[in-house]
Amino acid sequence: MNERILVIHGPNLGRLGRREPAIYGRETLADIERRLEARAQRLGCQVESFQSNHEGALIDRIEAAETTHHGIILNPGAYGHTSIALRDCLSGSPLPVIEVHLTNVHAREPFRHRLLTAGAALGLVAGLGPLGYELALEGLVAHLRSRHGT
Ligand code: DQA
């Protein structure tokens, strides 16, 4: 099966590489997309990426993916800590979601310890940097294949 996976990046992630590199590293979003493209080719699936700084735009994209994609990888950025609207959208989506955070949010400031969105996700990868997206893709595709018996 040639699964179509949507990778969604929330606010401030468009500035990866330049944004607080001591915390988030030097890799840009384009670097992460290249990693995912290579991993997707090896796995035999398709990836498409979307980034927005706007909560409503993220929700619109998740809703639209229902008819176009098989699963979602989501780094909600700070909205993961604050957005009930994003949590509700994930809860209402039929698509499996793996949430990714580049950093281990549980080892950072207390306001990052609560993840509203993760409770509606199939799984969570945090603290492994850009590799986390690749591992999320592996996990999501394995989940979809086990569900379809392929
Ligand atoms: C982040 C962690 C969030 O706390 C932060 O607001 C981000 C990035 C991460 O990938 O580690 O924007 O989601």
Side-chain angles (χ1 to χ4, degrees):
M1 192 182 160
N2 198 3
E3 300 85 358
R4 287 187 302 277
I5 307 299
L6 181 62
V7 185
I8 301 180
H9 308 275
N12 300 308
L13 293 165
R15 298 194 65 256
L16 275 182
R18 285 167 293 154
R19 172 197 181 196
E20 298 185 273
I23 295 174
Y24 295 110
R26 295 257 171 221
E27 282 195 37
T28 64
L29 210 52
D31 294 330
I32 289 173
E33 283 167 16
R34 272 191 289 276
R35 276 173 176 266
L36 281 168
E37 196 54 54
R39 180 75 67 142
Q41 271 188 21
R42 290 205 295 276
L43 283 167
C45 65
Q46 293 172 41
V47 280
E48 181 189 336
S49 291
F50 173 79
Q51 192 273 327
S52 177
N53 294 326
H54 303 277
E55 189 177 14
L58 297 170
I59 291 171
D60 287 345
R61 194 69 192 86
I62 292 165
E63 280 186 3
E66 197 175 310
T67 52
T68 56
H69 290 79
H70 298 100
I72 294 174
I73 292 171
L74 169 68
N75 184 342
Y79 287 141
H81 312 302
T82 62
S83 176
I84 296 170
L86 196 52
R87 162 64 179 258
D88 285 350
C89 174
L90 296 176
S91 295
S93 173
L95 300 183
V97 176
I98 304 219
E99 180 163 328
V100 173
H101 293 277
L102 291 155
T103 59
N104 178 358
V105 288
H106 297 290
R108 298 182 62 192
E109 305 96 319
F111 63 82
R112 296 184 202 277
H113 295 179
R114 184 181 70 162
L115 283 173
L116 294 179
T117 43
L122 172 70
L124 173 68
V125 182
L128 299 180
L131 176 65
Y133 287 93
E134 293 186 57
L135 299 178
L137 184 63
E138 291 268 358
L140 187 53
V141 168
H143 169 77
L144 291 168
R145 290 183 182 167
S146 70
R147 232 174 42 177
H148 288 98
T150 54

